[in-house]
């Protein structure tokens, strides 16, 4: 396998940095929405509560952002 050129490696690192920062910001915003916004109860009993769903989704997105940050080579 061929080595990456320094410019390509720098560009890849920059893109990964942008991605994990965006994922962290979106995850944080979803968690804040889930905690501080008063959502009406679901109309169907089988659906999860909106705030719980947003908190879980924000947490998963935050973890994905952390994994992207750790993936940097």
């Amino acid at each position: 396998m061929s080595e990456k050129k320094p410019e390509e490696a720098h560009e890849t690192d920059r893109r990964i940095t942008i991605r994990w920062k965006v994922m962290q910001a979106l995850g944080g915003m979803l968690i804040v929405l889930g905690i501080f916004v008063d959502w009406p109860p679901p109309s169907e009993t089988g659906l999860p509560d909106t705030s719980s769903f947003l908190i879980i989704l924000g947490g998963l997105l935050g973890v994905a952002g952390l994994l992207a940050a750790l993936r940097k080579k």
Side-chain angles (χ1 to χ4, degrees):
M1 295 175 69
S2 64
E3 291 287 329
K4 289 185 179 180
K5 294 180 182 176
E7 303 89 32
E8 291 177 4
H10 178 68
E11 183 67 23
T12 302
D13 287 344
R14 188 183 66 79
R15 287 181 182 175
I16 291 173
T17 301
I18 290 171
R19 284 181 189 149
W20 75 261
K21 287 180 181 179
V22 168
M23 283 192 268
Q24 289 290 303
L26 287 175
M29 288 189 321
L30 288 174
I31 291 172
V32 167
L33 281 174
I35 292 174
F36 293 112
V37 175
D38 188 24
W39 299 95
S43 58
E44 294 182 25
T45 57
L47 295 175
D49 186 35
T50 304
S51 60
S52 299
F53 177 73
L54 288 176
I55 291 170
I56 292 169
L57 187 62
L60 289 174
L61 195 56
V63 168
L66 285 176
L67 291 175
L70 294 175
R71 184 175 171 247
K72 289 174 73 171
K73 293 181 182 180

